[in-house]
Amino acid sequence: MGILAGFMLPHPPLIIPDIGRGQEQTIQNTIDAYHKAARELAALRPETIVLLSPHQTMYADYFHISPGRSARGDFGQFGAKQVCMEVSYDTKFAEYLGGLAGSRGLHAGSLGESDKNLDHGTCVPLWFVNQYDTEYQLVRVGLSGFPLSAHYRLGQCIRDTAEALGRNAVIIASGDLSHRLKEDGPYGYCKEGPEYDARIMDVMGRAAFGELFDFKESFCEKAAECGHRSFTIMAGAFDRTAVDAERLSYEGPFSVGYGICTYHVRGTAKGRSMEKGNSLKERLSPETECSMENERYTDETRNFLEQYEAREKERLRAQQAKEDPYVKLARHTIETWLRTGERPPVPEGLPEELYRRRAGAFVSLKEDGKLRGCIGTIQAVRSSLAEEIIHNAVSACSEDPRFSPVEEWEAERLTISVDVLGDTERISSPGELDPARYGVIVTKGGRRGLLLPNLEGVDTVEQQIAIAKQKAGIREYESVELERFEVVRHY
């Protein structure tokens, strides 16, 4: 009992005949692979399907688990309201999962549902599954803005919940690949699009789940994928577990990549029809049970999160040893604040500039390569640069409205940088900007937005201005006054 298998499945609505109206035949290989995967899933006769969808309720700092006893969904938004379905939720599984995740420091649960109806990321996979099996209960889980490592840990919680409750369960990682494969597609073309699809299909086809952590956030954003976090949660559910992986199909004719892979835990008798209600051992022959005992439970070489965190710990240790006094001051401030709730005084032994100079400064925090907080001041508001860094470091870890406050256990995982701003100067046109050299300030009336220079993933002036406008709540088409500035970035 536990997680018997996993399925990486896309969710293009046009694959449903009443929506595609013939267009679905363009992805016939995907349809055929979908049916094969659905038959394999049904043959396992799962009591519970855990479905991970990027299109259900999603928060930056919370994993949402759909509440209630049941839900329904249809394809009305795609012109096929008559294609509908209803599911029963495994309420005990959902409740236990939320509690287990919380006990392990993951923010997860059933609060804040914005739409009870099943999303298309859920409905498309279930439309295929329901043709072969409807005798299951569903657990529907959303993604979050947390780092990939947190998604992997949630997958471990899903596995442990299934085992603790004695559920025979499967997991569906719903997600399309890149949405930027062709110029004529709705999102246009980006070279990272086909690069992402080739890499992810290689990784998932080999079940080399540890390599999921090697995809940089900026690379995934440029590729405009929507399934990477789903795949990472599923990977966590197979931590230390030997799986037989099979790549069934890949297509991308509509500028969106669709990939299907299956993963069967060794010893679960792939394709064997099983009766519900009994434990896995009771449903297998003695010969298969022996194989299961030898192969199913553990493969210690597949402890991918531990391997990743060990590499990260070593990298961070080496990086922290090289931090300059500006960053050391910010780190000391954050660690003191998290431990005591108080700002430390300005310490002795700093470079003279930190005592004598006044300047604006930004403190930026990253965790697992993902932004975790960034707060700063455009101009000096404190008596010294040291004071500026101390106050902004506390704000970055506790007051950035985009993120929950940093917790004490996260401190050693943070990568910190400090940007000291030079004087600002007004410019007359975007042609005077260079995103690698200059930061930008956009102003419209009382609204003002700033973006630092030389940021990963921001390659053009247009991107730079658009992000600064977004931060200020200025519409993209509105004209703005522009200022530029240079920074000295400390690591």
Side-chain angles (χ1 to χ4, degrees):
M1 60 188 68
I3 303 296
L4 308 178
F7 300 85
M8 168 187 169
L9 299 174
H11 48 245
L14 62 79
I15 204 171
I16 309 301
D18 284 30
I19 300 173
R21 300 179 183 179
Q23 272 192 300
E24 73 275 8
Q25 296 172 14
T26 308
I27 51 172
Q28 190 62 46
N29 288 342
T30 301
I31 293 172
D32 294 342
Y34 231 125
H35 280 292
K36 183 176 188 298
R39 288 193 298 268
E40 289 182 8
L41 185 155
L44 295 170
R45 304 285 289 168
E47 297 166 285
T48 302
I49 294 177
V50 181
L51 196 147
L52 318 167
S53 173
H55 295 290
Q56 88 119 317
T57 303
M58 180 174 174
Y59 293 101
D61 55 357
Y62 189 73
F63 289 108
H64 186 265
I65 305 167
S66 292
R69 295 185 177 277
S70 63
R72 73 176 306 278
D74 60 50
F75 290 99
Q77 70 182 109
F78 304 102
K81 191 174 181 63
Q82 72 279 9
V83 183
C84 57
M85 63 187 68
E86 188 166 345
V87 298
S88 296
Y89 283 141
D90 188 336
T91 55
K92 189 173 182 180
F93 194 113
E95 182 180 352
Y96 191 99
L97 174 60
L100 180 62
S103 72
R104 296 181 180 179
L106 293 173
H107 300 290
S110 58
L111 300 175
E113 184 171 58
S114 58
D115 185 357
K116 182 178 180 179
N117 295 318
L118 301 177
D119 61 283
H120 75 275
T122 299
C123 287
V124 171
L126 294 187
W127 184 86
F128 283 92
V129 169
N130 288 350
Q131 295 180 50
Y132 301 95
D133 182 19
T134 57
E135 298 298 316
Y136 60 84
Q137 290 187 309
L138 186 71
V139 175
R140 188 166 63 122
V141 181
L143 314 181
S144 79
F146 286 130
L148 292 177
S149 58
H151 289 75
Y152 192 99
R153 286 197 292 273
L154 184 67
Q156 292 175 308
C157 292
I158 291 170
R159 175 203 60 197
D160 294 345
T161 298
E163 293 180 355
L165 297 179
R167 293 287 196 276
N168 297 309
V170 300
I171 188 164
I172 292 176
S174 176
D176 295 337
L177 307 187
S178 173
H179 289 60
R180 291 179 175 168
L181 301 181
K182 296 184 178 181
E183 288 286 0
D184 58 359
Y187 298 90
Y189 172 80
C190 186
K191 66 180 180 63
E192 284 81 4
E195 290 174 6
Y196 175 84
D197 282 14
R199 280 184 63 187
I200 197 65
M201 289 306 297
D202 173 58
V203 167
M204 299 303 287
R206 293 183 289 115
F209 298 141
E211 296 178 28
L212 289 168
F213 297 113
D214 297 336
F215 288 69
K216 289 186 176 181
E217 188 76 21
S218 59
F219 176 70
C220 290
E221 288 178 358
K222 288 179 181 178
E225 54 75 31
C226 78
H228 201 88
R229 287 174 173 77
S230 291
F231 309 151
T232 305
I233 295 175
M234 179 174 67
F238 292 125
D239 185 67
R240 286 183 167 85
T241 302
V243 297
D244 293 316
E246 185 176 5
R247 170 177 166 160
L248 299 185
S249 69
Y250 170 78
E251 294 181 293
F254 304 117
S255 191
V256 180
Y258 309 127
I260 296 180
C261 295
T262 65
Y263 309 92
H264 289 267
V265 174
R266 289 179 189 169
T268 55
K270 174 182 174 182
R272 183 188 299 272
S273 179
M274 302 179 182
E275 295 182 5
K276 291 181 180 287
N278 298 322
S279 72
L280 182 63
K281 290 184 180 181
E282 292 171 341
R283 289 187 266 148
L284 299 178
S285 68
E287 294 79 14
T288 307
E289 182 181 327
C290 180
S291 173
M292 177 191 69
E293 291 289 342
N294 290 334
E295 298 183 83
R296 178 177 187 268
Y297 290 109
T298 59
D299 180 346
E300 293 296 336
T301 67
R302 296 180 66 80
N303 59 331
F304 296 122
L305 181 60
E306 283 189 0
Q307 293 176 32
Y308 167 72
E309 290 187 331
R311 294 194 304 270
E312 274 295 284
K313 191 172 184 178
E314 186 59 36
R315 183 186 69 81
L316 289 169
R317 185 183 295 114
Q319 179 177 290
Q320 290 173 21
K322 299 177 182 178
E323 289 175 347
D324 75 5
Y326 295 76
V327 177
K328 286 185 184 296
L329 175 61
R331 183 175 296 280
H332 168 68
T333 298
I334 290 168
E335 291 174 349
T336 301
W337 174 264
L338 295 177
R339 188 176 65 254
T340 69
E342 297 181 358
R343 291 183 177 87
V346 176
E348 298 179 356
L350 298 175
E352 279 300 311
E353 181 190 46
L354 285 166
Y355 299 116
R356 295 185 178 182
R357 183 180 174 187
R358 299 182 70 239
F362 274 74
V363 177
S364 302
L365 316 177
K366 285 189 175 182
E367 184 178 347
D368 290 345
K370 188 174 178 63
L371 187 66
R372 188 65 180 86
C374 180
I375 295 289
T377 43
I378 298 174
Q379 296 174 328
V381 296
R382 307 290 170 187
S383 60
S384 69
L385 183 51
E387 287 281 0
E388 206 81 36
I389 292 171
I390 288 172
H391 278 262
N392 292 341
V394 170
S395 296
C397 75
S398 63
E399 298 176 9
D400 190 326
R402 297 169 294 178
F403 307 99
S404 60
V406 173
E407 298 182 29
E408 187 174 357
W409 64 268
E410 296 178 89
E412 66 177 7
R413 303 167 63 95
L414 296 176
T415 298
I416 302 173
S417 62
V418 175
D419 288 281
V420 179
L421 276 62
D423 295 334
T424 62
E425 59 177 321
R426 183 165 294 182
I427 57 175
S428 58
S429 76
E432 297 177 72
L433 288 171
D434 176 351
R437 178 180 177 184
Y438 296 111
V440 65
I441 300 170
V442 298
T443 304
K444 179 73 173 181
R447 292 169 292 170
R448 204 175 192 199
L450 176 146
L451 194 69
L452 296 169
N454 196 25
L455 297 179
E456 187 176 23
V458 181
D459 303 317
T460 67
V461 170
E462 291 75 20
Q463 287 177 302
Q464 190 181 37
I465 293 175
I467 295 171
K469 283 183 173 181
Q470 185 180 46
K471 292 175 71 174
I474 300 171
R475 295 181 180 87
E476 190 171 351
Y477 62 82
E478 291 186 273
S479 60
V480 292
E481 296 178 357
L482 296 173
E483 296 172 85
R484 71 181 185 184
F485 59 89
E486 293 185 274
V487 304
V488 175
R489 180 161 296 163
H490 297 267
Y491 296 98

